[in-house]
Amino acid sequence: MKTNKLTLAALAGVPLVMVLGNSLLIPVLPSIQNALNLTAVEVSLVITLFSIPAGLVIPLAGFLSDRYGRKIVIIPSLILYALGGVVAGLAAIFLKESAFYLILGGRVLQGIGAAGTAPIAMALCGDLWQGTERAKSLGIIEAANGMGKVISPVLGAAIGLIFWYAAFIFFPLVIIPVVLAMWFFVKEPEKQKEPPGLKSYLNSIKNIFKEKAPLLLSCFLAGASALSLIFGVLFFLSDYLERSLHLTGIIKGLALAVPVLFMSTTSYITGALIKKQVVLMKTLVVSGLVLIAISLAVLSFFDNIYIFYVSISMAGVGTGLVLPCLNMLITSATSSEERGMVTSLYNGVRFIGVALGPPAFGLLMGYGRPVMFWAAAGLAGVSAGISFFFIKIRAIKSSSQKEEQGEKEKDSEKRHKPSTEACEISGGGMLVYLSPKGDTTIIAQQPAKKPLDNYLEGQEVKNGEGNNQ
């Protein structure tokens, strides 16, 4: 199936608004901290209590999407996501300094809603397209995710100039057009068979991990590590820009957008280039993680602002190399019946990575920058080593070949399966079979109530012609 631009645009809108859930708030975290008199670890909970519920609920959302359909999960999830923003915004307006815990409650609601958005959109891309079209669509999905991260710091900083809590109110405003686009422009492919029940479903997932545990777990670790590190760096950067360089407002937002601009641009290029080249995907995953490790290690030695920005930009490039390849590896390693659950597990782990990054960096900041950046570089290096040894190319190629063969068999069945329509010739009690080519054959005939003198008397209807007996 060729990529439909409207369909792809609607799907890309889902991760675009989902990523606002964290990235839009990063520029205003210091303002939230000051307004509510919070510590660095406490304010990091605004990110953590969005990401942890999302990570925990994503597997359930994946099961429901496999069972009942992708759209029926995505659209209500977007609405719940918007509702959480309303709760947090109203709490801030009416409770002011006492709003912290209700804001966290709204963030939990948003996290639950986020669980059924971008991960399910990724699975739907896997359902709609195969081969190079799938790689292209997943690259655009990841680029939309990254572009949301680029736009949101600037947007969040600009919105924060109005009120520190204005970002919460902004969420429902951007979600409405995405809901409408999903409703009107995205059509799911028909399911070939009834999805399994929960017990059977869990057993199939268990079997997948028996066969491919090293591959999947190494991909999970790579994705979680990359996002944990990039969000940890952004959390540190937001505080550093405001407290050390005294940057605020849109200038601060632009400064925060630099590393994610490199990440999103690299994601788009990577998604367009990888296609079905499994060897290249593995190489880029390992290389990207190594680049992140080196970039963060450099930051432990230098305090120069120019070196700092070059290093975090290179970390963004590394993340942009890793994420699209992991998306393609995960979706290609599973069948369509299991893809929703597996991609959801993967995205759940990614959300956990995002959740852990800010509080981990908040804690490590107390031990000094060298310790913080060496620890971060070590995590990236370990993930690179595990990916190198456990992402097996043969297993991925085998899964892709099986799926392509299955698609060919389904297409062949559709071409050769007759569309069995039958009709009764008026007045004659004659049941006629109509083949896909328009040929006709009598398959049943009852005695006529009156002679068929004027209509096919003594004739057999066959191949569209009347042949005298």
Side-chain angles (χ1 to χ4, degrees):
M1 173 181 172
K2 291 292 291 180
T3 307
N4 181 289
K5 291 182 180 179
L6 286 176
T7 300
L8 188 54
L11 287 170
V14 177
L16 184 63
V17 298
M18 185 276 293
V19 79
L20 298 178
N22 280 325
S23 300
L24 192 73
L25 294 177
I26 284 177
V28 296
L29 287 179
S31 299
I32 295 173
Q33 183 178 352
N34 293 333
L36 303 180
N37 299 314
L38 305 173
T39 66
V41 175
E42 284 175 333
V43 76
S44 72
L45 294 178
V46 174
I47 303 297
T48 300
L49 288 185
F50 172 87
S51 301
I52 284 181
L56 295 176
V57 175
I58 277 174
L60 174 61
F63 169 74
L64 293 175
S65 76
D66 280 342
R67 184 78 182 164
Y68 301 108
R70 313 293 190 208
K71 282 177 63 174
I72 205 171
V73 171
I74 292 173
I75 291 174
S77 295
L78 286 168
I79 294 170
L80 182 61
Y81 179 56
L83 181 62
V86 172
V87 169
L90 292 178
I93 291 170
F94 292 108
L95 299 180
K96 301 189 184 302
E97 291 84 0
S98 304
F100 182 56
Y101 293 105
L102 199 52
I103 287 173
L104 293 182
R107 294 292 287 161
V108 170
L109 280 180
Q110 284 193 297
I112 294 170
T117 58
I120 311 304
M122 184 189 294
L124 185 50
C125 278
D127 296 341
L128 288 169
W129 298 291
Q130 287 82 40
T132 57
E133 293 296 321
R134 178 186 292 167
K136 178 183 175 183
S137 66
L138 289 171
I140 290 173
I141 289 288
E142 194 61 61
N145 186 295
M147 191 55 65
K149 291 186 179 75
V150 174
I151 297 169
S152 51
V154 182
L155 189 59
I159 293 171
L161 293 174
I162 305 170
F163 303 109
W164 63 265
Y165 52 80
F168 296 121
I169 301 170
F170 181 73
F171 289 119
L173 300 179
V174 294
I175 286 171
I176 292 170
V178 178
V179 169
L180 294 174
M182 282 294 304
W183 182 268
F184 289 109
F185 298 138
V186 178
K187 183 179 180 182
E188 289 188 66
E190 293 183 8
K191 291 187 178 295
Q192 299 298 319
K193 57 184 179 181
E194 186 69 18
L198 181 59
K199 184 176 179 181
S200 174
Y201 200 91
L202 293 176
N203 284 334
S204 67
I205 298 301
K206 183 179 177 182
N207 291 334
I208 290 173
F209 276 90
K210 276 185 178 179
E211 294 175 9
K212 301 174 183 175
L215 166 65
L216 294 177
L217 293 177
S218 57
C219 288
F220 286 9
L221 176 63
S225 298
L227 284 169
S228 179
L229 294 173
I230 197 71
F231 269 88
V233 166
L234 290 173
F235 177 78
F236 167 78
L237 184 58
S238 179
D239 182 77
Y240 175 75
L241 291 172
E242 194 155 318
R243 297 185 189 276
S244 299
L245 302 181
H246 308 292
L247 295 181
T248 57
I250 295 176
I251 299 298
K252 177 186 173 181
L254 290 169
L256 276 170
V258 170
V260 287
L261 176 61
F262 278 89
M263 182 186 72
S264 62
T265 303
T266 307
S267 290
Y268 180 79
I269 294 170
T270 303
L273 291 177
I274 55 176
K275 298 181 181 178
K276 297 169 68 177
Q277 301 178 61
V278 178
V279 176
L280 178 60
M281 292 179 210
K282 176 178 177 177
T283 302
L284 292 179
V285 168
V286 175
S287 300
L289 290 167
V290 169
L291 182 58
I292 294 170
I294 293 171
S295 301
L296 296 180
V298 166
L299 291 175
S300 64
F301 294 107
F302 299 98
D303 196 17
N304 181 282
I305 187 64
Y306 299 107
I307 294 176
F308 181 82
Y309 260 93
V310 169
S311 294
I312 63 173
S313 298
M314 289 303 98
V317 170
T319 307
L321 292 174
V322 169
L323 295 180
C325 295
L326 291 176
N327 291 346
M328 188 64 179
L329 291 172
I330 291 289
T331 55
S332 298
T334 54
S335 66
S336 59
E337 291 81 8
E338 299 142 346
R339 186 173 294 128
M341 176 64 88
V342 174
T343 57
S344 293
L345 287 171
Y346 167 60
N347 280 277
V349 172
R350 281 175 51 146
F351 266 103
I352 298 298
V354 171
L356 295 178
F361 271 65
L363 287 171
L364 291 171
M365 282 164 64
Y367 295 95
R369 282 181 56 175
V371 172
M372 180 179 68
F373 285 120
W374 271 116
L379 175 60
V382 168
S383 299
I386 291 173
S387 297
F388 178 78
F389 286 108
F390 292 107
I391 293 180
K392 300 295 184 183
I393 295 169
R394 185 179 300 174
I396 300 163
K397 284 185 174 180
S398 174
S399 296
S400 297
Q401 288 168 357
K402 285 180 182 177
E403 184 181 22
E404 287 177 5
Q405 183 61 34
E407 292 294 330
K408 288 178 182 178
E409 289 174 359
K410 287 174 187 176
D411 290 341
S412 178
E413 287 175 6
K414 286 178 182 177
R415 284 196 300 269
H416 293 91
K417 183 178 179 181
S419 57
T420 54
E421 293 184 34
C423 63
E424 183 179 352
I425 292 180
S426 177
M430 186 182 296
L431 193 62
V432 177
Y433 165 73
L434 303 178
S435 78
K437 296 180 180 179
D439 300 343
T440 57
T441 306
I442 296 174
I443 54 176
Q445 184 172 3
Q446 296 177 355
K449 293 179 181 178
K450 58 183 180 179
L452 299 177
D453 293 315
N454 300 321
Y455 193 74
L456 297 177
E457 182 177 0
Q459 295 184 354
E460 178 186 5
V461 180
K462 188 173 183 180
N463 294 327
E465 299 175 358
N467 297 322
N468 292 330
Q469 291 181 338

